[in-house]
Amino acid sequence: MNNHAYVWNGLKVSFLIIGTTIGAGFASGREIWEFFTSYGTGSSIYVLLSMLLFSISCYIIMSISHELKAPHYVHVLEALIGKTLGRVYDVLIFFYLLSTTVVMFAGSGATLQYWSISYWVGVALISVLVWLVFLRNVEVMISLNSILIPIMIMTLMLVCGLFIWGGFGERAEVSAGEQIFPSAIAFTALNILPLIAVLSAIGSRMQAKEIKVASIGSAVGLCSIALLYNESLLNLGNEIMLYEVPLFAILRYFSDELMIGVTFILWLAIFTTAISGMFGLVTRFKSQERPQWLTAAFFILCIIPLTVFGFTNLIKVLYPLYGVLNLFILMTILLYPLAKQRKMR
């Protein structure tokens, strides 16, 4: 395999990582505001710190999977925290993937509802499209992300770039306090658990060079968006308090056509995260006797009734809970190379 193939294969996985991470919370700017911008100027340094930890974590997860040839995330969990705690986190990851996929399905309904389309039409649309992806193999999902994610990245960066260089808004000059450091760690922790499920199944098929490219490429992509978003939201000042979706506070300075286009990009972010969540569930319960589309159909039918709880309510309850629970697994991942060296002595 030549160097160009290594780079391209690694980049395709980096798009998958970004697609798993850049769900409704990240793409809408809500996560960036809550974890970074709300602390004031100087928060960009902590965006860089968080993305560095993110890149290292992705590299370690894929390396463990590559070494173990893991078919799914349970083997990686056992390598990280042992069999007993691995069983506990196996259950936790299952409910995390299930509940966050419910959030994404509900997010699809809420996004279309903004344009006066029935909530249930949005839920039905994403249900059918996610199921169609699983009629094919995993390579289709990776290829789909390699098309959709660059479009999402370029659109979000373009909107934020135009806002910053256009001199819109009024910057709030409030220095970031000490509380932002744990917030930056929490942001990485919140996003790492679904990646264990997805990357554990992918890492076993990758080469060492591809793992490095994927880790660096995903961090660069996410960091670029997060930094531009953070700078844009800082320039909004107190105006952001009037909007549940920070991105709409930026878009109000632009045309209605751009608003429609970016709303579609938001929906794509929800769609790619829903696919990644479903992929984690399907690979965990994969069977030679049962096609993956049938397993996906089962989970989709379970998820649809749960969307009745609504997008906002699900986020308020689930995300803070998982953020705290994920801190332990993040620290375990980051310390894994040291623990492995100690065992080898």
Side-chain angles (χ1 to χ4, degrees):
M1 187 180 291
N2 59 48
N3 289 331
H4 293 297
Y6 279 121
V7 171
W8 175 238
N9 289 337
L11 285 176
K12 286 198 291 186
V13 175
S14 74
F15 294 141
L16 176 62
I17 294 170
I18 294 171
T20 304
T21 307
I22 194 170
F26 191 110
S28 68
R30 176 50 58 184
E31 285 183 17
I32 303 300
W33 166 257
E34 294 293 344
F35 287 94
F36 300 105
T37 318
S38 60
Y39 292 92
T41 54
S43 50
S44 293
I45 298 297
Y46 294 91
V47 172
L48 292 170
L49 170 65
S50 181
M51 293 305 161
L52 175 63
L53 296 177
F54 182 88
S55 179
I56 294 170
S57 299
C58 289
Y59 178 78
I60 292 172
I61 293 167
M62 286 186 284
S63 296
I64 296 172
S65 176
H66 173 74
E67 183 181 333
L68 299 177
K69 301 300 177 187
H72 51 70
Y73 62 79
V74 171
H75 297 77
V76 175
L77 277 176
E78 289 178 354
L80 285 168
I81 54 180
K83 287 190 175 182
T84 303
L85 276 176
R87 292 191 191 100
V88 174
Y89 267 86
D90 180 19
V91 175
L92 176 62
I93 287 180
F94 168 74
F95 282 108
Y96 182 95
L97 291 172
L98 184 66
S99 57
T100 51
T101 307
V102 171
V103 170
M104 293 306 115
F105 276 47
S108 174
T111 302
L112 295 191
Q113 199 173 31
Y114 182 83
W115 297 102
S116 302
I117 300 172
S118 169
Y119 175 85
W120 293 108
V121 169
V123 172
L125 177 63
I126 198 170
S127 300
V128 172
L129 291 177
V130 167
W131 179 74
L132 288 174
V133 170
F134 286 89
L135 283 174
R136 306 294 294 274
N137 58 31
V138 66
E139 296 303 323
V140 173
M141 184 183 71
I142 295 175
S143 299
L144 186 64
N145 275 280
S146 67
I147 297 170
L148 297 180
I149 299 305
I151 295 172
M152 289 165 50
I153 292 173
M154 288 187 291
T155 303
L156 291 173
M157 290 180 69
L158 176 64
V159 169
C160 292
L162 289 173
F163 180 82
I164 294 167
W165 290 308
F168 300 115
E170 185 177 344
R171 192 176 182 87
E173 297 294 340
V174 180
S175 298
E178 295 179 358
Q179 299 90 341
I180 192 173
F181 178 75
S183 182
I185 304 297
F187 176 82
T188 308
L190 176 65
N191 289 290
I192 209 65
L193 203 58
L195 286 170
I196 293 176
V198 174
L199 297 183
S200 296
I202 295 293
S204 58
R205 312 177 190 189
M206 298 176 68
Q207 302 299 318
K209 289 181 180 179
E210 294 170 352
I211 290 173
K212 290 178 182 177
V213 172
S215 303
I216 296 170
S218 58
V220 169
L222 286 169
C223 191
S224 299
I225 302 170
L227 286 172
L228 280 171
Y229 237 141
N230 189 56
E231 189 66 21
S232 299
L233 297 179
L234 281 170
N235 287 344
L236 283 171
N238 295 328
E239 183 183 346
I240 197 173
M241 300 300 182
L242 303 174
Y243 292 83
E244 185 177 359
V245 178
L247 181 58
F248 289 154
I250 296 172
L251 288 172
R252 82 178 191 87
Y253 289 92
F254 301 102
S255 66
D256 291 340
E257 289 78 12
L258 185 61
M259 173 78 83
I260 294 171
V262 176
T263 301
F264 176 67
I265 295 299
L266 265 180
W267 188 89
L268 283 181
I270 293 169
F271 177 56
T272 55
T273 304
I275 292 174
S276 296
M278 187 61 65
F279 175 69
L281 291 169
V282 168
T283 53
R284 175 62 184 89
F285 295 95
K286 189 176 182 179
S287 170
Q288 295 293 336
E289 296 79 27
R290 186 176 58 247
Q292 63 178 9
W293 64 262
L294 187 60
T295 306
F298 170 76
F299 281 117
I300 288 169
L301 291 174
C302 292
I303 284 168
I304 291 173
L306 296 175
T307 60
V308 73
F309 293 107
F311 179 62
T312 303
N313 291 332
L314 286 165
I315 283 182
K316 283 181 179 178
V317 173
L318 294 173
Y319 277 29
L321 173 63
Y322 287 130
V324 173
L325 292 172
N326 290 2
L327 283 172
F328 171 73
I329 199 72
L330 173 63
M331 292 301 106
T332 306
I333 292 169
L334 294 174
L335 294 173
Y336 177 80
L338 296 176
K340 184 180 177 182
Q341 279 188 344
R342 184 175 294 180
K343 284 182 181 179
M344 293 174 64
R345 289 177 181 174

